[in-house]
Structures are given as C-alpha cells and as structure tokens.
Amino acid sequence: MSAASPPRAPDGVDLRAFLARREMLLVVALAALLAVVATRFPSFVTPRSLGGVFNDTSILIVMALGQAAVILTRSVDLSVAANVALTGMTVALIDAHHPGVPLALLVATALGLGLLLGAVNGALVWLLGIPPIVVTLGTLTIYRGLAFVLSGGAWINSFQFTPAFLSVPRAEVIGVPVLSWTAVAAVALAVVVFGRTGVGRSWYAVGGNPTAAVYAGIDAGRARFLAFCFSGLLSGLCGYLWVARYAVAYVDVASGFELDVIAACVIGGVSIAGGIGSVGGAVLGALFLGTIKNALPVVNVSPFAQMAISGAIIIAAVALNTRAERRRGRIILRPGASRPAPAAVAE
Amino acid sequence: MGARALSSVLRFTPPRDDAAALPAPLLELRGVSKVFPGVRALDGVDLTLRPGRVTALVGENGAGKSTLVKILTGIHRPDGGEIRVKGAPVAFASPQDAEAARITAIHQETVLFDELTVAENIYLGHAPKTRLGFVDWPALRARSAALLYGLDAPIRPSTRLKDLSIAQRHLVAIARALSVDSEVVIMDEPTAALSHKEVDDLYRVIDRLKGQDKAILFISHKFEELYRIADDYAVFRDGRTVGSGRMAAIDHAGLVKLMVGRSVDQVFPKAPAVIGAPVLEVEGYSHPTEFAALSFSLRRGEILGLYGLVGAGRSELCQSLFGVTPPSDGSVRVEGREVRIRSTADAIRAGIVYVPEERGRHGAVLSMPIFENASMGCLGAVSRRGFIRSAEEFKLARHYAERFDLRAASLSQPVGTLSGGNQQKVVIGKWLATKPKVIILDEPTKGIDIGSKSAVHAFMSELAGQGLAVLMVSSELPEILGMADRVMVMREGRMAGLFERAGLTPELLVEAATGNAGSLH
C-alpha cells in the first residue's frame, strides 16, 4: 500500500504470460485441428456438430477433473474406469429390479458409492503407505470383479431400464443436453475446489513439494486421501452417466478408459511429477482427445491409425511438458535471476 | 615443484631427526578457488598430502572442506589454482578422471549400492573381464576376498551391502579404493556414526594404509581422534588455508584459534533487547538417537543462538520442537502451558514456527506463485466460510513483500524464479503471517549474499524487538556473537554450555562445541 517499495509488484497475470501458457497453446492446437478437419469435411465444425462432440466428451471431462486432482498430488488413480463399471452396474441393477426407486436416489447412490470406492483407494495410500499405482492397480481388478459378482456376468439391456433413467442425460435444457450441463457443472465445481479451497491448495502444495507442505502444517496423507475421494466421487457420477447414455450395463463397461482419462490430463499439462496443472488444462486436454476421436473417423482415418495418432499426441504433449519444466529449472540456477526479469516471467 | 616444496619444508621446520625423511608430496593444491553463485566457497586454498602420512583437515562448518573434497573427486571443477599429482598438473573433468588419478573419497554416508553384493560394490565399473568381454566372476570374488583379507575385515564378498553395519560399509568403501589402487584416500568424517570399538578398527586400517604409502586426508571435528591418527594438519577458514604443519607442533587451543582466528569485524544491527517472561520452556527433551536431556528456556524479545558442529543434533532438536519427528521424552511449555506437539499443524497452532535450512527442499513450493506460498501456513485467515479469497491473499502477500523489499516482477510469479535471498523472504513472510510466538531460524543466512544477510539480521532484531522469541541455529560464529542474547552450545546431542552475551568469545564457543581435549566420548 505504501509508495516506499521501489518495484511495485503488479498483482495480476500479465497478458504475455497468459498467452504463453499451455492452456493457450492447447486452444490454438484445438483450433488448428478443427481447421484442418473443416477443409475436408466442413459440416464437422457446425455448432450443432461441435455440441455433439462436447456432449460425447462430457464423461471424459468430468473424469479428467478427478484424475487431475490425484495426479497433482504425485499419485495416479488407475481404478476410475472400474469404478464407473461397478457404480454403473449397481445403479443399473437397482433400476432394473426396483423401478420404483426415484432417479435422484439412484444418482445419490452412484455418487456415494463412487466416493466410497475412492475413499478406499485413498485410505490404503494414506494409512498403509502403499504406492498409489499399486493400490489402484489392485482395486481396479477388485472393483471390476465386484461388478461381475453383482451381475453374475449378465448384461442389463436398454429395455430393462426405466424411461427416466435413460432419458434424463439426453433431455435438453436451453438446447443443451443434461449430460453436457453436468460436465459444465463439474468444471465449475472443480474451479472452486482447486482454486478457492484449502483442500485444493493442499493438492498443489503436496505435489509441488511434499516436505514444504508438511512444514507448513499440511497433512500430506490427508490431502492425497481427499484427492482420491474427489476422483472417486466424479467417477461414481460417471458410472450412472455412462450406463444411461449407452443404455446398457455389463462388466466390461469403460474398459481401458482410465488410460484415456490419464492421457487427457497429461495432454492438458497436468504434470505427472505433481504440483503443476489446472482445471482449464485438464478440460482442454479432454476436449482435444475427444475431438481427435470424433474427427479422425470423419476424415476416414482407420481405427488403428487413430490409436497411433492419439498415442503420438500424448508423447508430444509430455515432451512439451518436460521441456517447459526444464526451462524453468534453468532460470532458478541463473545467478542474476534476482532482478525482475520480464523475459523470465513469460514462462 | 616437488623439490621446491621440500626445500621450503626444510627451511621452515625446526630441525628434527626425521625432517629430512619427509617424502615428496603426492598431491599438491596451490591457490585453488571455487565460486558458486553468490558464494566464494574456496578462495585460494593450499594443501599438501604426502605418502604414508595422514593429514587432518579441520575448519568450521562452511569453511570449504566439502567443496574441496568435491573438487578432488572431480564432482566440481575449480575456478582457479593448480592441482598437481606427483608434480604433474591435472584437471579433472569427471569423477572418472579423479579415479584414474588414483584419488578416492570415502564419504560420511558411503555412496554404495544396497542391493548389490560386497564384491560387486568393490568392483563396480572396473570389474575384471574374461577374454570374451564378460564379467569374470571367479576372479572378481577372489580379488574382493583378498582385498578384504588385507584389511583384516571379516566380511564375505557375497554378502549384500544392505546387511552390513555402517563400519563394515566403510571397510567396503576402503576396499573399493584399494581395488582401483588409489594412492590418495579422502575420509570425510568416517567415524561420525561408528562405535568406540569400530573406531579402533578403523584406526588399525588407517595405520595399515599408511604402511602401504597411501596419502590420507582425514576430515573430522573430533580433536581427540585427530591427535590419535593424524601426522599433519591443515586448517581452513572462510575458504582459505590459514595454517598447516605437524600435528605434534600444535595443541587443541592452537587449532581452535586458527579455526576461529578473526575478530567480529562485521557490524551487526542488533538492537538492545527488552527481554520479558519465558515463552518457550523445554525440560529434559530427548530423542531416541539424536539428542538427550536438553533443558532450556526462551524469553520474549530474546534471540537465543544455537551453536554446534555438524551432527551435534541442532537441526534435529528444531525439527522435533516443530513436530516433524517425535521426541522420546521431555516436556515443552509455551507461555506456561504444557503443549503436546505431534504434527507440524500442532506446532503452528501452539505458536512455534520453523524456517528450515534448505529452502528449496523444505521451505517453499517452488512451482507455486509467491502469494500462494505466503498464505500457505494461514489459509484460515484469508478464507471466509472455507473459501479462499484471493484479494485477501494478495493483500497479505503484498504486506510482507513490501516489508521485506521483495524483488519480484509479480506476486503471481512462481517462487522458483526468485533468487535465494528473495525465496528466503517469502518463506519467512509465510511464517510471520501465522502470527507466531516462537520463531526458529535454521541457518537463516546460509547461501545468501552479503547484502541480503544484513537485511535478514536487521529483520531478526526487529522481530525480537516486537516481542517474538527467536531461536537462531547458526554455524557462523560472527553471526552468533553478533546477534544472540544468549548462546546454547550442543555437542553430540547434549548441552555443552549456555553462555550470556557479555564476555563471550569465539574461542569459548568452539571449545565447548569441540569438547576439551582428553574427554574422549
């Protein structure tokens, strides 16, 4: 407040720094991708079609947000797709066998069960100190196994569901399906949790420097536990959304989807080393991956080439990530970095 | 060169019966210097090692001993000066070069591989090969066994390293040094973690190495053992060689004088303090392994200096007080009320904060912006109904940024992009924001430039003036003498003295920290 301090530090983020951020880079890459597809197939970029792509990607977006929280704390949650399968199967069975149960209760069940499954992961990581990748590799199998036990391996097909169960995600509010609105709401929730709560801040702190976080009075184990809970909660929600959207529930629902979710985070600039990443990045990463998956078939790329292209993009994104992080390292080491150096801020 | 050094010895050493028999130097350093950003770690050191002799290297913490070891083992490259091996100038571009020049260091915590066997550790990187280029296992085992036998070490070559004691690991490291036929063996505080008997065994091995005409550089803080084992000494202070000669020609007090050697010429901005009631009272505080039976108190407005050599248990005490590692016994009272500190959150709540020594590792989250680091310890104060308000956060960060004259382009800048001194300001700001009663500063000015140092000192004085109780851990005697109202000295985990500011001399502190000659363990 006083005029005494010589170089007044501006509080806001300056424009150049903003443009240089990965989020902007992703927006540009996404626009370029759409432009290329548009030259071959103009109708892909109509608002209606793009809305369809967004709706298609909604589940990936929601789950990428949960995964981003976990990855921020230097962990990974491999069990998210199995969580979808188990919660999806559970609510499908309830709906098929007890059509009287109101939808709101089913959604609450999905949320609650998802949260519980996430909490199990988190508790194992926190209390037993098992590495997250091992814990979730185990629970991935357990959760899918439970889905098999519950269903006996049988499918629940579209005619067994109540109409409300299937129609709500498709229902349009102001011309946009509820499924898309759910993704928007999840993004809003994540923006608040990541940026405006102590929990979100502790995820960044624990991932960025666990020791410093402990020294600041943050319980690193608890922060990680809560990240797994957040991921589980959103996965549980997606369990209902997935089954309702595809109107079928079986054991292998969303098989392998955890890799897409992690890929979306990585493409979006969430650092596997923890502590770096943003909600916007995770959303854009998911949208980028979703757009690729929707656009490539349109321009007649074979499914196998599609997989190869997705993989190449993930590696390119990680390469960019590491480069960006290494460059920052050099700035720390440069002896004269104490002076305010505008060029260095453009990082 | 070798002849000249020899003649200089002849000229200046009083005639003794074995003076003429001094062998030519194996390793010579002349005017070696090394500059790190902001710190001149070595400022022209001289050192001479001769075959068959043990040279003791002594000096305060930060005198440049570790930097010297790193230069001799090819980890750092010197910025100036000359290193000669058997009279020929050498330049080490890598640790391999140093090994080729027959120089090996045995570190405090030996750098060996836990999961490999003893034999594999000894010959890693230079294993004997068969004619087809495969590792010749029988030869490797046989040679390892022979080396260990030569050291009188009852260790089987096929044992995994993780199953050995620390003393046995040292022997493996020595065997490794012998396996490359090292002529210069550097031992960096080899006895720090050894029992009495193990130390004796080590002495026997050293005597044996002397018999094989190895030149040994022995770094230690324990004066008794230096008198037991060393033939020559060299004393470092502030990156310079301030004295060297024969161990027999100098006594404990003489060495201490050389180590300290200077008056407190730096001006410290220590304001006369108004010292009030005790804030922190510690009674019988003990830790399973690091310290025992410590009792002291810290009063309002007081700066209590905590002095001791590396390994005296100072940082461990601070970390215990701050709830990082639990103590095994003792009580802590804050403003008369007994507190139980089981986590760092408990300590912060009790009003105790800790500014750690290693900022990068413990202090700040480098990838986080300045304002988020500043509010990390007191999120509650900038939140309303559980939601962080960024306007409040910026206000808090701006307050401390202005108070400390923080140099940053923006408060949204990651802390990692700041200089060391500015990072320190952010860390201290973070703690002050929690409104503490006791602040523990662990080596507050280590590795920061002179200008920032006096700013930190002025600020420390100001904090005490505002009624904060300050516990300042420091290895720098001028800092301790200049800033502390009282000084507590620790040695090997125990209280070695408590001194008032008046009448305090550097010699008094160093003598307490090193222990009087004769008081073995």
Side-chain angles (χ1 to χ4, degrees), chain A residues 1-2 5-6 8-12 192 196-198 201 204-205 208-209 211-212 214-217 275 332 335 337-338 345, chain B residues 319 322 344-345 348 354 360-362 364-365 368 372 375-376 379 387-388 390 393-394 398 402 405 409-412 416 419 431:
Chain A
M1 292 293 151
S2 79
S5 68
R8 254 309 295 272
D11 294 347
V192 172
R196 288 276 166 273
T197 65
R201 190 62 60 79
Y204 281 97
N209 185 343
T211 326
V214 170
Y215 276 45
I332 300 170
S338 55
V345 182
Chain B
Q319 291 184 355
F322 189 58
T344 51
I348 294 169
Y354 175 59
R361 219 152 65 83
H362 298 153
V365 181
M368 264 193 177
E372 290 187 3
S375 62
M376 209 156 88
L379 277 179
F387 294 108
I388 300 168
S390 53
E393 265 192 304
F394 271 108
R398 207 181 303 120
E402 280 172 10
D405 189 20
S410 150
L411 291 178
S412 308
S419 71
W431 290 128

Side-chain angles (χ1 to χ4, degrees), chain B residues 191-233:
Chain B
T191 61
L194 303 190
S195 73
H196 207 96
K197 154 124 198 356
E198 290 168 335
V199 170
D200 283 342
D201 289 344
L202 183 70
Y203 289 161
R204 272 213 305 283
V205 170
I206 291 175
D207 285 335
R208 207 175 272 243
L209 295 177
K210 275 170 73 172
Q212 295 170 14
D213 270 351
K214 312 286 183 200
I216 295 157
L217 183 66
F218 194 89
I219 302 175
S220 175
H221 288 305
K222 297 180 186 165
F223 282 25
E224 319 85 80
E225 69 184 28
L226 296 182
Y227 281 104
R228 158 72 179 78
I229 199 76
D231 304 296
D232 304 313
Y233 70 88

Side-chain angles (χ1 to χ4, degrees), chain A residues 281-309:
Chain A
V283 171
L284 284 167
L287 279 175
F288 193 81
L289 202 58
T291 307
I292 295 254
K293 294 204 168 202
N294 277 281
L296 292 182
V298 171
V299 290
N300 274 333
V301 176
S302 88
F304 301 105
Q306 283 173 38
M307 285 162 70
I309 290 172

Side-chain angles (χ1 to χ4, degrees), chain B residues 6-277:
Chain B
L6 188 60
S7 70
S8 74
V9 168
L10 287 172
R11 209 178 315 133
F12 292 118
T13 318
R16 312 169 56 104
D17 33 358
D18 63 345
L22 263 190
L26 200 53
L27 179 76
E28 275 180 295
L29 278 75
R30 292 287 167 262
V32 171
S33 62
K34 174 75 192 172
V35 181
F36 294 111
V39 189
R40 185 169 274 275
L42 288 182
D43 193 8
V45 295
D46 301 332
L47 187 69
T48 305
L49 302 185
R50 295 173 196 277
R53 293 182 77 81
V54 176
T55 304
L57 179 58
V58 290
E60 275 187 88
N61 307 338
K65 294 171 306 211
S66 306
T67 310
L68 180 89
V69 174
K70 285 185 179 148
I71 284 177
L72 286 180
T73 49
I75 295 166
H76 289 328
R77 256 172 275 183
D79 296 317
E82 192 178 45
I83 303 175
R84 284 168 176 265
V85 174
K86 291 182 184 163
V90 292
F92 303 144
S94 69
Q96 283 75 31
D97 288 358
E99 194 164 288
R102 311 260 168 99
I103 299 175
T104 306
I106 293 154
H107 295 278
Q108 227 161 359
E109 283 144 29
T110 51
V111 267
L112 296 170
F113 299 87
D114 275 353
E115 293 296 334
L116 297 185
T117 65
V118 168
E120 284 164 337
N121 265 294
I122 292 175
Y123 278 102
L124 192 75
H126 55 275
K129 298 273 168 68
T130 63
R131 258 178 307 161
L132 294 173
F134 296 110
V135 172
D136 185 350
W137 290 104
L140 187 142
R141 276 188 289 268
R143 287 196 213 169
S144 305
L147 282 171
L148 292 166
Y149 181 77
L151 290 173
D152 212 2
I155 304 170
R156 286 198 11 227
S158 56
T159 316
R160 276 186 204 283
L161 196 81
K162 62 178 177 188
D163 297 326
L164 299 186
S165 73
I166 298 204
Q168 288 175 314
R169 286 169 196 231
H170 277 304
L171 291 174
V172 173
I174 293 170
R176 179 174 167 80
L178 296 177
S179 74
V180 293
D181 201 17
S182 290
E183 296 185 319
V184 177
V185 180
I186 302 167
M187 299 189 173
D188 192 353
E189 299 209 41
T191 61
L194 303 190
S195 73
H196 207 96
K197 154 124 198 356
E198 290 168 335
V199 170
D200 283 342
D201 289 344
L202 183 70
Y203 289 161
R204 272 213 305 283
V205 170
I206 291 175
D207 285 335
R208 207 175 272 243
L209 295 177
K210 275 170 73 172
Q212 295 170 14
D213 270 351
K214 312 286 183 200
I216 295 157
L217 183 66
F218 194 89
I219 302 175
S220 175
H221 288 305
K222 297 180 186 165
F223 282 25
E224 319 85 80
E225 69 184 28
L226 296 182
Y227 281 104
R228 158 72 179 78
I229 199 76
D231 304 296
D232 304 313
Y233 70 88
V235 181
F236 278 18
R237 189 205 316 145
D238 298 335
R240 292 202 188 92
T241 310
V242 292
S244 58
R246 289 171 166 255
M247 207 68 200
I250 193 163
D251 61 1
H252 187 204
L255 278 177
V256 167
K257 193 164 275 173
L258 280 174
M259 277 172 73
V260 178
R262 74 198 132 184
S263 57
V264 184
D265 47 5
Q266 213 176 327
V267 179
F268 284 90
K270 170 86 174 96
V274 183
I275 293 174

